Amino acid sequence: MPTLEPHQARDIAESFGVDAARYDRARPRYPRELLDAIIAASPGRDVLDVGIGTGILTRQLRAAGCAVTGVEPDARMAEFARRDGTPVEVSTFETWDPAGRTFDAVVAGQTWHWVDPVAGAAKAAEVLRPGGQLALFWNAAQPPAELNSEFIEVYRRIIPDSPVLRAAALPATAPYATMCDTASDGIYRAARFAEPRRHTYEWDRAYTRDEWLEMSATTGMATRLAPDVLTQLLDGLGAAIDAAGGALICRYTTVALTTTRRD
């Protein structure tokens, strides 16, 4: 069976709403420095959030003075994001009808790999005003090395075919560098953008044991596990954290790709 590209794996892409409240609590936010740079480079503050999810990124943008519209394929996530009054339309981005609307920025936090890179770039060019920003970014997590080795052994024991194991020997940012390459190719093929630029932002977040387990349960791999297998996984990760003192500090690298729509 051929391997699906991420945007073709709709069962994973639309699985995160299984527990939207947990997702909203657990997922990390985005560096203010990155968001300030996107806003400063945009011609205005009308923003389209692609794959808005529960509205994590949108709330940060609204706090910075932006007006945000969301597009989200998972109706459960969209319903959660609307709780603070944000308009959210349920659709994949590629098939979404903008109805003539245009925006100063199109952003995607942790979601663009679920979008067809060519069709997505073409749609972004369609809805961006001249000079508008397309900004795509992902958070790459790197737990402390010794604890991460224990985590890998837990995955190896509970889920021996986990993609976590295939990525274990690579730097934490490697999968996201590949996503940036794919996104860049789509942007070039759309032929309506300036040269894409890459940026990285490093920062730390402290986690309690329970906070890390909540976050671990929201990954695309975990959201589709049978309940008993997920329980075994979380119990194993929790035991590893307990043995390391009951908490951890995770280093995050936010990997970003930005470009400007040409006239």
Side-chain angles (χ1 to χ4, degrees):
M1 181 179 295
T3 301
L4 294 178
E5 294 297 321
H7 69 273
Q8 297 171 319
R10 299 315 306 172
D11 60 325
I12 306 175
E14 298 175 30
S15 70
F16 299 99
V18 66
D19 191 339
R22 170 186 267 176
Y23 186 101
D24 194 69
R25 288 193 306 270
R27 282 298 181 110
R29 276 48 181 166
Y30 300 96
R32 179 62 187 264
E33 182 183 2
L34 166 62
L35 303 187
D36 285 347
I38 294 168
I39 294 168
S42 301
R45 297 198 173 192
D46 290 334
V47 180
L48 181 69
D49 188 349
V50 176
I52 189 175
T54 59
I56 291 171
L57 171 59
T58 283
R59 292 194 296 272
Q60 290 186 260
L61 290 168
R62 289 181 60 172
C66 296
V68 185
T69 299
V71 177
E72 170 57 46
D74 189 326
R76 299 165 298 183
M77 300 287 264
E79 181 180 4
F80 194 102
R82 293 188 188 109
R83 292 184 180 190
D84 66 355
T86 299
V88 184
E89 298 172 26
V90 177
S91 175
T92 60
F93 183 53
E94 303 93 318
T95 62
W96 175 64
D97 179 9
R101 289 167 292 179
T102 58
F103 301 86
D104 298 305
V106 172
V107 299
Q110 212 76 22
T111 61
W112 195 256
H113 52 293
W114 303 123
V115 175
D116 180 288
V118 178
K123 179 60 66 74
E126 175 188 345
V127 302
L128 276 170
R129 295 165 185 153
Q133 289 288 296
L134 174 61
L136 319 172
F137 40 96
W138 296 265
N139 285 325
Q142 182 60 62
E146 290 187 8
L147 187 52
N148 194 50
S149 295
E150 295 297 323
F151 289 164
I152 290 168
E153 289 308 311
V154 173
Y155 281 96
R156 195 185 312 280
R157 185 175 73 251
I158 307 299
I159 316 171
D161 61 346
S162 169
V164 172
L165 301 178
R166 295 195 291 273
L170 302 174
T173 57
Y176 302 99
T178 300
M179 292 176 188
C180 282
D181 290 342
T182 301
S184 291
D185 181 65
I187 288 167
Y188 285 126
R189 291 172 67 179
R192 295 180 65 184
F193 290 97
E195 183 76 15
R197 302 173 298 278
R198 300 194 187 200
H199 322 263
T200 58
Y201 303 82
E202 293 193 346
W203 49 284
D204 293 330
R205 174 175 168 178
Y207 282 91
T208 66
R209 174 189 189 275
D210 290 347
E211 287 171 341
W212 184 262
L213 298 185
E214 280 222 303
M215 193 277 293
S216 299
T218 69
T219 67
M221 181 269 302
T223 53
R224 297 177 301 123
L225 291 176
D228 61 324
V229 178
L230 179 59
T231 297
Q232 292 178 54
L233 175 65
L234 299 181
D235 286 348
L237 297 177
I241 297 170
D242 289 341
L248 69 143
I249 296 177
C250 183
R251 166 56 57 98
Y252 278 99
T253 302
T254 301
V255 179
L257 184 73
T258 63
T259 185
T260 303
R261 207 212 95 173
R262 298 183 302 200
D263 291 350

